[in-house]
Amino acid sequence: MSDSSTAPQEQPTESELNAVVAALEAVRGRMSAAVAKRAEKAASSASVSTSASDEHGRVAGEADAVRLVAVSKTKPNALLQAAYGAGQRHFGENYVQELVAKASGLPRDIQWHFIGHLQSNKASHVAAIPNLFVVETVDSVKLATALEKACAKQTRDSPLRVFVQVNTSGETSKSGSNAAEAIAVARHIVNECPHLRLCGLMTIGQPGRQCSEASPNPDFLLLNEIRQQTAESLSLRAADLELSFGMSDDFEHAISMGSTNIRVGSTIFGSRSYPAVHPE
């Protein structure tokens, strides 16, 4: 891999560092309010129905916890360190090279999420990161097998967590499996990959959707449905599988629809500057 991502980074100003901390706290506040609203709705739903599931396929009484992943792609380590100092531990990266560089230069108790497209020939690079928390973008049996082989060669403390990525919007520009493929990939991970642990499903969804409680996001609805189908195929409860969806523009709506893992970047770190051609 090219070493261009490890070039000296322009140091942010004190005001920029403070802005990250303030933005992070604001997101946490909005997130807590959305989780509380979801819990109230679930309690109300449970009180009027003996059904185990609500209209979005979520299981009544499931854990209210939602994980905040601070998406830090293209951002200098100093900004991540500011968020870390404010208690943030889960960070997400899209590019293998950038993840490898940041993981080696930042505290080892950070829990890294790989959330970009992963080529099978790069599986060994991410598997070698000891504090890699999860790969959220496993979209094929081929990639799952590559990660399984790579993890088998490492001395990880526990199986590597993975999410199966689903292309719920059908956009050709996005990676991810369709519904039938997602179930097959999940089954392969559970049955054939002892060094991997299936944690749930992930989607990006189509940007710019205007959604509300009365008009829920169809991508999020579909992922809930696929989770139910996947759980039934594997003889699991739907609540045993996490859902990763929701970003800066829609994470509160995502929480209302059952997301347990939201990925927030620009709202915390500001807009991004991308190189003309990324080295990967």
Side-chain angles (χ1 to χ4, degrees):
M1 292 188 295
S2 166
D3 62 359
S4 59
S5 69
T6 60
Q9 299 173 324
E10 182 178 346
Q11 292 302 303
T13 64
E14 184 175 355
S15 64
E16 289 173 326
L17 297 173
N18 291 337
V20 164
V21 174
L24 176 62
E25 292 301 330
V27 167
R28 286 171 173 163
R30 292 168 59 189
M31 180 177 159
S32 294
V35 169
K37 184 176 180 180
R38 184 174 82 181
E40 291 173 4
K41 182 180 178 182
S44 175
S45 176
S47 69
V48 298
S49 173
T50 58
S51 172
S53 302
D54 70 12
E55 69 270 27
H56 297 320
R58 295 187 300 271
V59 175
E62 69 181 329
D64 292 325
V66 177
R67 183 185 303 110
L68 171 61
V69 181
V71 179
S72 46
K73 60 183 179 182
T74 80
K75 294 301 179 179
N77 286 0
L79 291 183
L80 279 72
Q81 193 72 58
Y84 177 90
Q88 183 64 26
R89 290 296 181 270
H90 289 267
F91 290 85
E93 290 292 334
N94 284 61
Y95 304 115
V96 173
Q97 180 176 330
E98 190 172 0
L99 172 60
V100 170
K102 286 179 175 175
S104 66
L106 287 164
R108 298 299 289 271
D109 63 333
I110 284 178
Q111 303 293 291
W112 292 104
H113 293 233
F114 186 76
I115 59 174
H117 177 64
L118 180 61
Q119 298 173 331
S120 295
N121 61 2
K122 300 284 183 67
S124 61
H125 297 297
V126 297
I129 299 171
N131 52 331
L132 178 66
F133 182 78
V134 64
V135 174
E136 295 200 23
T137 51
V138 177
D139 60 1
S140 68
V141 168
K142 178 182 177 183
L143 179 55
T145 300
L147 279 169
E148 166 64 23
K149 291 179 179 178
C151 290
K153 296 177 181 178
Q154 302 294 326
T155 55
R156 301 187 64 86
D157 294 336
S158 59
L160 174 64
R161 300 174 183 86
V162 296
F163 286 82
V164 175
Q165 182 179 2
V166 186
N167 184 346
T168 51
S169 64
E171 296 170 273
T172 58
S173 60
K174 287 188 171 67
S175 300
S177 55
N178 61 35
E181 292 167 342
I183 295 171
V185 174
R187 189 181 300 114
H188 175 76
I189 292 167
V190 170
N191 295 332
E192 306 295 336
C193 302
H195 295 90
L196 304 181
R197 174 188 163 197
L198 176 67
C199 285
L201 305 175
M202 175 269 211
T203 193
I204 296 173
Q206 184 175 321
R209 292 194 189 276
Q210 300 300 312
C211 302
S212 66
E213 186 170 348
S215 180
N217 187 308
D219 293 311
F220 301 167
L221 280 173
L222 179 57
L223 199 69
N224 269 285
E225 293 171 7
I226 296 171
R227 175 174 74 163
Q228 186 67 42
Q229 295 165 6
T230 303
E232 290 173 359
S233 175
L234 297 172
S235 299
L236 299 172
R237 299 181 309 139
D240 293 332
L241 298 173
E242 290 195 44
L243 293 173
S244 177
F245 55 77
M247 297 185 285
S248 286
D249 293 338
D250 59 8
F251 69 84
E252 287 156 307
H253 181 62
I255 290 171
S256 76
M257 295 193 64
S259 180
T260 59
N261 189 84
I262 59 172
R263 311 179 302 272
V264 180
S266 58
T267 298
I268 296 173
F269 294 108
S271 59
R272 302 183 181 97
S273 297
Y274 292 97
V277 178
H278 195 277
E280 292 181 354

